[in-house]
Amino acid sequence: YSDIEYKILVEQRVEGVEYTVMTITDGSTVVPLPAIEDYPHAFSLDLGPETGGMGSIAGPGWVPPFLEIQEYKESIEIVKKSIEALQREVGAVYRGAIAGQMMLTSIWGPTLIEFYSRFGDPEISCMLPLIQSDFLDLLDRAARGKLAGAALRVREDTAVVVKAVAPAGYPLNKKVAKNHPVAVDEDKIRSLGCSLLYASVERRGNTIYTKGSRAFEIVCSGDTLEKASSKAELAVSHIKSLDGWPLFHRSDIGTTSSVNVRIKLAEKMRLAYKYRREKGLLGTTVVWVPGRG
């Protein structure tokens, strides 16, 4: 009705497996980066509220185990066409990072959920260990409009797992999650072959305090996701609360059981969307009404 003051937002509900496709562009050339999967829910088994990301997985190689190479290529094409449309409509050159938050759905196959004009976190933490090329050179080329001909080499035999450590209270009550002293043994984490990234913390004197959000990220590599996840679990044990306030992380990130859940869900979505594509029904939702058809 035209005489009402309410705004109505109509959305299409989709379900499937989420993943992120990050790219670098200089406005004409687009360099795709390996696909990453983020774990947004706070707790293991994908339970709890959504967060900024409790960790991520990547590899081995260009795609995580649940995603097919062709699906990855289709996702890249969606991002490329969006960059072209953005520049055409705005009339300006877009240079830098642009990431597509994707979902493999039964209705469309590779489906765009949202864009962000930056590298995702914790996706970028997960992606960098896979890159053999000079990543800074790629960024510099993008800034100068010289990406054409740039080569991106990826470690095909490497899997990466990132696990974030956060104080209890995050993400729903960041106030109670603030100002808790923590201790980190970075040398022991490094001895495991992992990296420690500092996030929502601050140093006062010789002590590190939480600021209410994800405090640290552990980044570990291995020839399988399971091995990288196990190393990350050992690394997390070297982060301690000094006042007894609980710290939590997702122990299931990168485990075989967690990855298998995603593989099975992706196979279910794949069976449905490929049937739709074959029948010319991509994007079509069919509602069956009993007695009417």
Side-chain angles (χ1 to χ4, degrees):
Y1 297 100
S2 60
D3 60 340
I4 62 174
E5 296 181 0
Y6 298 103
K7 291 182 179 179
I8 300 173
L9 177 64
V10 179
E11 296 180 325
Q12 181 181 40
R13 182 184 184 276
V14 291
E15 62 176 332
V17 185
E18 289 192 55
Y19 56 99
T20 303
V21 173
M22 296 184 288
T23 67
I24 303 170
T25 182
D26 62 1
S28 56
T29 300
V30 177
V31 176
L33 303 173
I36 314 290
E37 191 200 11
D38 176 29
Y39 281 65
H41 293 92
F43 309 124
S44 294
L45 303 178
D46 301 316
L47 300 175
E50 290 206 357
T51 70
M54 290 303 297
S56 53
I57 62 172
W62 285 89
V63 295
F66 62 81
L67 196 66
E68 293 183 349
I69 285 292
Q70 183 57 35
E71 292 162 347
Y72 168 72
K73 290 180 178 178
E74 290 176 20
S75 303
I76 294 299
E77 283 305 307
I78 291 172
V79 177
K80 285 182 177 179
K81 289 178 180 177
S82 300
I83 294 172
E84 291 169 4
L86 169 67
Q87 295 185 130
R88 184 170 60 249
E89 294 185 21
V90 174
V93 174
Y94 183 94
R95 289 180 180 172
I98 187 165
Q101 186 69 41
M102 314 294 296
M103 181 182 283
L104 192 67
T105 72
S106 62
I107 298 174
W108 289 100
T111 305
L112 176 69
I113 302 300
E114 64 176 343
F115 277 124
Y116 35 96
S117 56
R118 57 175 174 79
F119 295 121
D121 175 37
E123 290 97 331
I124 188 65
S125 306
C126 205
M127 188 275 298
L128 284 176
L130 290 178
I131 303 301
Q132 285 181 305
S133 309
D134 186 335
F135 193 64
L136 287 178
D137 180 61
L138 284 175
L139 299 179
D140 180 63
R141 281 171 171 261
R144 293 185 291 112
K146 303 291 185 181
L147 263 184
L152 179 67
R153 298 186 307 279
V154 169
R155 294 182 174 88
E156 301 280 355
D157 59 351
T158 300
V160 186
V161 169
V162 174
K163 298 190 180 187
V165 178
Y170 175 78
L172 298 181
N173 191 348
K174 295 182 181 180
K175 186 176 181 180
V176 301
K178 288 182 178 180
N179 298 316
H180 298 287
V182 291
V184 185
D185 194 328
E186 192 168 349
D187 290 337
K188 287 186 178 178
I189 292 173
R190 245 193 239 105
S191 71
L192 294 168
C194 299
S195 298
L196 173 71
L197 302 179
Y198 293 85
S200 182
V201 293
E202 64 179 355
R203 181 183 292 276
R204 302 179 207 157
N206 294 323
T207 305
I208 296 172
Y209 289 84
T210 63
K211 294 183 67 178
S213 189
R214 294 165 294 167
F216 306 97
E217 284 181 359
I218 297 289
V219 184
C220 300
S221 303
D223 55 7
T224 67
L225 287 168
E226 183 70 48
K227 289 180 181 178
S229 178
S230 296
K231 286 167 64 175
E233 281 300 294
L234 291 174
V236 167
S237 69
H238 298 302
I239 300 174
K240 306 288 187 184
S241 169
L242 296 179
D243 66 352
W245 188 261
L247 302 173
F248 73 95
H249 72 285
R250 285 191 58 167
S251 60
D252 65 331
I253 295 175
T255 61
T256 300
S257 59
S258 174
V259 172
N260 283 344
V261 166
R262 284 150 176 78
I263 291 174
K264 289 179 181 178
L265 180 56
E267 288 174 348
K268 179 181 175 182
M269 299 298 111
R270 191 171 291 123
L271 185 66
Y273 90 73
K274 287 190 174 181
Y275 174 83
R276 279 191 165 96
R277 178 175 289 171
E278 180 185 337
K279 301 298 182 181
L281 296 172
L282 268 187
T284 301
T285 301
V286 179
V287 179
W288 179 265
V289 180
R292 296 178 61 183

